[in-house]
Amino acid sequence: MEKQEYLELYGQMVIIRLMEEEAARLYQQGKIGGFLHLYIGQEAVSTGLISARQPQDRVITAYRDHGVAVNCGLPVDKVMAELLVKLQASLKARAARCIWQM
């Protein structure tokens, strides 16, 4: 891999961490209902996994999947909107609270 690719992957991990920290803050304020399983500390897992997948590969997640959604190309604002129950489904994935299929 080239240095630029490493920097892009690092950037994805930082974005996921910031998103998760904001989700934690909103959860503590009571703006996100139910349970919130954060992805903090696991950003490298989905970033590495998704960067290595082939076009024919499918991604199915269970929970703690907000980072996976971002790695697969869902915009952070769509993920946050779903967490805040402002969206029932994103444009690129079928969603049921905390379950994404990409």
Side-chain angles (χ1 to χ4, degrees):
M1 290 178 70
E2 298 294 324
K3 181 179 179 179
Q4 186 59 36
E5 293 174 280
Y6 287 117
L7 291 173
E8 288 172 13
L9 294 176
Y10 177 74
Q12 288 180 34
M13 290 187 282
V14 170
I15 288 169
I16 292 167
R17 172 64 63 97
L18 294 173
M19 179 188 71
E20 292 293 288
E21 288 174 347
E22 179 65 11
R25 187 182 69 75
L26 292 169
Y27 182 74
Q28 291 171 347
Q29 292 176 353
K31 294 182 179 179
I32 295 176
F35 295 102
L36 179 65
H37 303 282
L38 294 172
Y39 208 65
I40 291 174
Q42 299 179 24
E43 300 87 352
V45 176
S46 67
T47 301
L49 175 77
I50 299 304
S51 72
R53 79 176 178 162
Q54 300 298 311
Q56 70 274 14
D57 295 338
R58 298 286 182 244
V59 178
I60 299 175
T61 66
Y63 67 102
R64 295 181 195 238
D65 56 358
H66 316 122
V68 179
V70 172
N71 290 132
C72 287
L74 266 86
V76 171
D77 62 335
K78 300 282 188 204
V79 175
M80 293 301 290
E82 196 273 335
L83 288 174
L84 293 163
V85 191
K86 293 185 178 182
L87 274 182
Q88 292 301 316
S90 71
L91 297 175
K92 292 186 179 179
R94 292 171 294 188
R97 183 72 172 87
C98 290
I99 299 176
W100 302 79
Q101 294 181 13
M102 281 141 288

